Amino acid sequence: MQIALDAMGGDFAPAPIVAGAVQAVHADPQMRVVLVGDRAQIEPCLAKEGNIPDRLEIFHCTQAIAMEEAPVLALRKKPDNSISRCWQLLAERKVEAIVSAGNTGAMVAGGLRLRRFLKNVRRPGIAAVMPSLRGPCVLLDVGANVNPKPTHLFQYGVMGSIFARHMLKRDRPTIGLMNVGSEEQKGHDLAKETHALFNASPLREQFIGNVEGRDINRGVCDVIVTDGFVGNVVLKVCEGVFDFAVKMFAKEVLGALDTERAKGGQALQALVDHYDYSSQGGAPLLGIDGICIICHGSSGDRAIKNALGVAAQYARAKLNELIVRELETSPQVAADEDE
């Protein structure tokens, strides 16, 4: 299992990125990681880690794309950047997966430039695993495609259903369409046309119709489909609310406890460890020929280690082969010639 890791991507790169890679390789004896980035910055970080497995190597490049840079312009002006080199290794099939905590727009744009889509996939989408009262569910897209067509959203439902079935172990995943109300006629034309596509498809028995933002954490369905603009806002609102709730609990509840404060603190830490984004590692960009995991910009070593782990997990599960097989059987895909 060979994975390319963008060593220069992230708010604190390269130190926590390198540390996470070392931890991941120690944890998985079948994993090999290619650290893509500036050798002069990576090697001192490796030296600090002590015992370095021989399954780590460096692919040197001279440039990096900063978080604030415009993705397309940066890819054009910096051809030897770490994100493009990761995609190059994937395109040349020298690695099975790529992982980055860098500029999300550049990661997506790098994939779009290569057009390394799975057969019949019109546009890739980022899938985020979300917590709910019934266990984890998947929300997509959360940032790759802010101006989708109905067919794109329908395909997100197909890919999300496959992901939920094989990764989240849902026997018959239910699918909901994010909207401003549950009634069938609610929403803009995109929502109405997508609703009609699902109802006319083989997924109609799994499709429960429109869902609202508050339904995600209630566990109303296993897959929530939306455009990348709304999905990204929802994801970050959820992250903010979680952080706010944890801090308020620590202040108001733990602050009022006397004898049980230590136990309360332990319970709160367990909650944070379970639901914090670093426990998931990163979100897959579904629809790419290969595995691509996009991580939070503030990812530390734990998040990077877990991201590499899920990249290996998705590759071993042959998730892409399952997506291709199901899309080939969809009459909506066969009839669509929009791209």
Side-chain angles (χ1 to χ4, degrees), residues 153-170:
L153 294 187
F154 172 75
Q155 290 192 344
Y156 294 160
V158 174
M159 292 191 288
S161 176
I162 294 168
F163 184 91
R165 189 161 66 247
H166 295 278
M167 298 294 106
L168 305 182
K169 306 306 179 185
R170 300 289 188 270

Side-chain angles (χ1 to χ4, degrees), residues 19-97:
V22 172
Q23 293 170 24
V25 172
H26 276 304
D28 186 344
Q30 296 181 320
M31 182 186 294
R32 304 184 68 89
V33 174
V34 180
L35 292 164
V36 181
D38 181 4
R39 183 181 296 274
Q41 295 185 58
I42 295 172
E43 286 183 338
C45 296
L46 281 172
K48 292 179 182 179
E49 293 300 316
N51 182 23
I52 305 301
D54 59 6
R55 288 171 287 116
L56 275 170
E57 63 179 279
I58 298 173
F59 184 99
H60 176 68
C61 61
T62 60
Q63 297 171 313
I65 295 177
M67 293 300 217
E68 68 276 6
E69 290 190 82
V72 175
L73 182 61
L75 288 170
R76 189 180 306 124
K77 291 177 64 176
K78 297 179 174 180
D80 194 32
N81 71 82
S82 56
I83 288 176
S84 291
R85 294 309 183 201
C86 283
W87 280 110
Q88 174 190 332
L89 290 171
L90 187 68
E92 294 173 353
R93 302 197 181 280
K94 293 179 179 177
V95 297
E96 296 174 66

Side-chain angles (χ1 to χ4, degrees), residues 8 11 20 23 41 59 64 68 144 173 187 195 197 209 211 216 272 303:
M8 313 310 294
D11 297 336
Q23 293 170 24
Q41 295 185 58
F59 184 99
E68 68 276 6
H195 196 289
L197 267 183
V211 298
I216 296 173
V272 171

Side-chain angles (χ1 to χ4, degrees), residues 47-330:
K48 292 179 182 179
E49 293 300 316
N51 182 23
I52 305 301
D54 59 6
R55 288 171 287 116
L56 275 170
E57 63 179 279
I58 298 173
F59 184 99
H60 176 68
C61 61
T62 60
Q63 297 171 313
I65 295 177
M67 293 300 217
E68 68 276 6
E69 290 190 82
V72 175
L73 182 61
L75 288 170
R76 189 180 306 124
K77 291 177 64 176
K78 297 179 174 180
D80 194 32
N81 71 82
S82 56
I83 288 176
S84 291
R85 294 309 183 201
C86 283
W87 280 110
Q88 174 190 332
L89 290 171
L90 187 68
E92 294 173 353
R93 302 197 181 280
K94 293 179 179 177
V95 297
E96 296 174 66
I98 59 176
V99 175
S100 176
N103 187 310
T104 298
M107 275 295 287
V108 174
L112 295 179
R113 287 177 73 186
L114 289 176
R115 299 291 296 184
R116 284 186 53 79
F117 301 170
L118 295 176
K119 183 180 180 181
N120 290 320
V121 169
R122 306 300 183 214
R123 193 67 62 86
I126 304 173
V129 176
M130 307 288 286
S132 85
L133 294 174
R134 293 180 53 249
C137 59
V138 58
L139 171 69
L140 75 167
D141 173 37
V142 296
N145 188 1
V146 297
N147 292 302
K149 297 180 179 180
T151 302
H152 302 160
L153 294 187
F154 172 75
Q155 290 192 344
Y156 294 160
V158 174
M159 292 191 288
S161 176
I162 294 168
F163 184 91
R165 189 161 66 247
H166 295 278
M167 298 294 106
L168 305 182
K169 306 306 179 185
R170 300 289 188 270
D171 291 335
R172 189 175 176 79
T174 51
I175 303 167
L177 177 65
M178 182 70 74
N179 209 323
V180 294
S182 59
E183 297 84 358
E184 185 172 343
Q185 296 306 314
K186 281 287 183 76
H188 43 41
D189 289 343
L190 174 64
K192 293 175 183 176
E193 292 174 26
T194 304
H195 196 289
L197 267 183
F198 276 111
N199 275 334
S201 78
L203 292 176
R204 60 184 174 276
E205 299 298 326
Q206 296 170 243
F207 181 58
I208 67 168
N210 295 328
V211 298
E212 299 178 79
R214 61 189 174 189
D215 293 325
I216 296 173
N217 302 117
R218 290 177 176 177
V220 169
C221 57
D222 302 307
V223 181
I224 304 97
V225 174
T226 188
D227 66 85
F229 185 93
V230 171
N232 192 267
V233 171
V234 167
L235 179 65
K236 290 177 179 173
V237 167
C238 288
E239 289 176 352
V241 169
F242 178 75
D243 185 60
F244 170 78
V246 167
K247 289 177 179 176
M248 290 304 296
F249 182 88
K251 177 182 177 182
E252 301 295 338
V253 179
L254 293 184
L257 294 176
D258 293 322
T259 58
E260 299 294 334
R261 184 177 298 177
K263 288 184 178 179
Q266 291 172 1
L268 180 61
Q269 188 58 54
L271 184 72
V272 171
D273 290 343
H274 184 70
Y275 289 111
D276 185 72
Y277 71 84
S278 62
S279 66
Q280 297 294 333
L285 180 63
L286 298 181
I288 291 292
D289 185 9
I291 302 297
C292 172
I293 304 295
I294 296 176
C295 307
H296 204 291
S298 59
S299 292
D301 55 348
R302 177 174 180 252
I304 296 301
K305 174 192 173 185
N306 289 335
L308 290 165
V310 298
Q313 178 189 1
Y314 297 159
R316 288 167 180 153
K318 300 189 182 302
L319 191 62
N320 285 342
E321 293 180 17
L322 298 168
I323 290 173
V324 169
R325 192 181 311 150
E326 191 142 341
L327 286 176
E328 283 180 336
T329 66
S330 171

